[in-house]
Amino acid sequence: MKRFFIGSIITIFILIVLLGYRQNIFSQGKLPYDDEQVGLENQIIIKFSHVVAENTPKGKAAEKFASIVNEKSNGRIIVQVYPNGMLYNDDNELQALKEGDIQMIAPTFSKMTEYLPNLQVLDLPFLIENEEQLKRVLTGPLSEQLLDEFDSINIKGLTFWNNGFKQIASSHSPIIEIQDFWHKKVRMMPSELLKEQFYLLRAKPITTSFGDVYNELENMSVDAQENTISNIYSKKFYEMENHITLSNHGILSYVVMMNKEFWNQLSTNDQEIIASALEEMENWQFEEAENINAINLKTLLQDEQVHIYELNEEDKKDWMEELSPIYEYYTKNIHPDYLDILLNEINK
Ligand code: LMR
């Protein structure tokens, strides 16, 4: 009996040792070579957070960027996209970027005007008239100058992405004539120039985070907003703001930016991968933004609950006249030259 016990214990011991060796439990050295582990140490993760839906110009651009970067780096650089404000919203995404909790964001330029007031030149209404001019401005020398300014707030400004032209959406009644704006509570993005715009139209501007707009419409603390068709459609704002005036009075574009420390730590080769990915997708991004807005507009036009109006020339002239002091406001209070540069680029 005793012998049987000793024999069993020895057998179990030998089995444990053998198993341990097979599983490398006793190994002090490195793991054996395995294709799947190649490059793990060099892998770079870029967390890209944004506030809009996935099926929008920014949402799709972020996904496209992630896929090009992945391909160019043979899977070594992974861009993880977090849409819909699931990680951070308008109020905290910039802070999270600066603290390095995420590496990339792409807020509208209007939301950055608090830190870089010169960007407000892009908020000036009724200057850019068509997609061609818009692309020229967002990819030309003025845009380079504006991106360079991000250095001063310790951020790497990489490029502009486009969403297109802003329209006016309202609940209860349409906003077509100037008087329709009077006393209306209009949600806007944080920009002093946009505030001035709504003061001139005698509305009551209210700044809110994008993620709060739906609730605010629901509890009627705002009556109207300016936004692109793709944002109005993808966030279902049209369910409450079912009057949409196609005014094309301003533009909505994004500054794609990166935590500067993170950018500086990348190798020149990796910086080149990121820069060339953005360059490669530039034409696609502008076309895609135009397409998405056109497709969403077509859907809204077919919705009987939604009333869509086109601003006629006469009403447009009235809006422009009412807003005319805003250009002087920009030149006097913000930057004396940028408006001239913008006008030059538009008229090229
Ligand atoms: C808004 O706040 O209306 C927009 O900036 C949202 C966006 O990112 O397009």
Side-chain angles (χ1 to χ4, degrees):
M1 192 69 176
K2 199 174 164 192
R3 256 201 219 153
F4 172 75
F5 269 123
I6 293 173
S8 305
I9 286 166
I10 291 172
T11 314
I12 290 168
F13 180 75
I14 291 171
L15 276 172
I16 289 173
V17 170
L18 277 175
L19 211 71
Y21 270 108
R22 275 198 71 172
Q23 301 292 321
N24 269 311
I25 288 170
F26 306 112
S27 164
Q28 300 281 317
K30 288 201 163 181
L31 290 170
Y33 183 84
D34 172 351
D35 267 352
E36 287 190 6
Q37 287 152 3
V38 173
L40 253 187
E41 283 164 22
N42 298 324
Q43 206 162 62
I44 292 172
I45 308 275
I46 298 177
K47 288 191 178 139
F48 189 152
S49 169
H50 68 81
V51 298
V52 292
E54 283 160 299
N55 57 341
T56 55
K58 179 160 63 180
K60 287 200 159 185
E63 291 296 345
K64 175 98 172 168
F65 170 69
S67 122
I68 302 179
V69 166
N70 192 284
E71 195 183 308
K72 280 181 182 283
S73 67
N74 294 320
R76 194 171 46 78
I77 306 180
I78 297 171
V79 181
Q80 296 172 345
V81 182
Y82 298 92
N84 285 311
M86 63 195 277
L87 272 193
Y88 296 99
N89 58 35
D90 282 338
D91 300 326
N92 53 18
E93 67 174 12
L94 183 65
Q95 190 61 22
L97 180 86
K98 287 198 153 195
E99 285 172 7
D101 297 331
I102 44 178
Q103 289 70 43
M104 281 181 83
I105 57 173
T108 48
F109 63 80
S110 312
K111 290 174 187 169
M112 295 304 294
T113 55
E114 188 184 339
Y115 315 98
L116 298 171
N118 293 342
L119 281 165
Q120 287 170 98
V121 70
L122 298 174
D123 266 332
L124 285 165
F126 290 118
L127 290 180
I128 299 174
E129 287 181 341
N130 53 48
E131 299 284 345
E132 206 183 302
Q133 292 176 351
L134 182 48
K135 187 170 178 200
R136 205 152 60 225
V137 169
L138 293 182
T139 57
L142 177 63
S143 75
E144 292 295 323
Q145 239 165 305
L146 291 169
L147 288 174
D148 285 349
E149 289 196 9
F150 280 79
D151 254 9
S152 68
I153 55 166
N154 217 17
I155 284 175
K156 174 69 186 169
L158 290 165
T159 195
F160 281 93
W161 280 346
N162 187 33
N163 187 331
F165 289 91
K166 287 184 289 189
Q167 323 297 346
I168 297 285
S170 56
S171 335
H172 316 303
S173 56
I175 295 183
I176 300 169
E177 294 175 2
I178 285 296
Q179 292 90 318
D180 299 332
F181 274 109
W182 292 2
H183 316 300
K184 285 259 165 46
K185 290 171 282 178
V186 184
R187 181 267 168 176
M188 51 157 243
M189 294 178 277
S191 154
E192 285 305 306
L193 196 117
L194 293 179
K195 198 185 270 177
E196 188 65 19
Q197 166 185 279
F198 288 116
Y199 281 152
L200 287 169
L201 295 168
R202 295 199 237 171
K204 289 184 190 156
I206 297 174
T207 309
T208 65
S209 157
F210 186 65
D212 293 337
V213 179
Y214 195 90
N215 282 346
E216 275 161 6
L217 285 168
E218 228 169 18
N219 65 31
M220 294 194 279
S221 46
V222 298
D223 309 308
Q225 70 171 307
E226 53 169 12
N227 224 317
T228 58
I229 289 293
S230 66
N231 279 346
I232 294 168
Y233 176 76
S234 61
K235 287 290 173 190
K236 297 194 187 312
F237 296 145
Y238 65 89
E239 287 179 354
M240 280 162 292
E241 291 177 318
N242 62 339
H243 297 278
I244 301 173
T245 304
L246 302 177
S247 53
N248 287 337
H249 63 280
I251 61 162
L252 193 150
S253 313
Y254 307 109
V255 185
V256 183
M257 55 181 85
M258 192 174 259
N259 174 297
K260 197 165 149 195
E261 222 176 12
F262 181 83
W263 170 262
N264 288 340
Q265 280 168 9
L266 292 175
S267 67
T268 319
N269 181 49
D270 289 348
Q271 289 181 349
E272 178 54 28
I273 287 176
I274 285 162
S276 63
L278 291 168
E279 205 179 310
E280 197 175 304
M281 63 183 279
E282 188 175 275
N283 288 336
W284 173 90
Q285 202 283 313
F286 278 83
E287 279 163 26
E288 189 71 0
E290 206 178 336
N291 280 341
I292 294 173
N293 279 296
I295 291 167
N296 293 166
L297 178 59
K298 207 168 157 197
T299 312
L300 289 177
L301 281 164
Q302 283 158 3
D303 187 332
E304 285 177 1
Q305 307 299 318
V306 182
H307 311 286
I308 300 192
Y309 317 87
E310 205 142 346
L311 201 64
N312 67 32
E313 280 309 308
E314 208 173 306
D315 290 324
K316 186 173 163 186
K317 231 174 92 202
D318 288 347
W319 288 37
M320 290 172 86
E321 214 170 284
E322 207 77 1
L323 290 170
S324 58
I326 209 164
Y327 309 107
E328 201 183 330
Y329 168 91
Y330 180 81
T331 337
K332 255 197 185 152
N333 300 300
I334 303 161
H335 199 298
D337 302 331
Y338 275 19
L339 176 56
D340 286 342
I341 304 177
L342 178 75
L343 289 171
N344 271 341
E345 292 192 353
I346 290 173
N347 298 320
K348 255 183 203 162

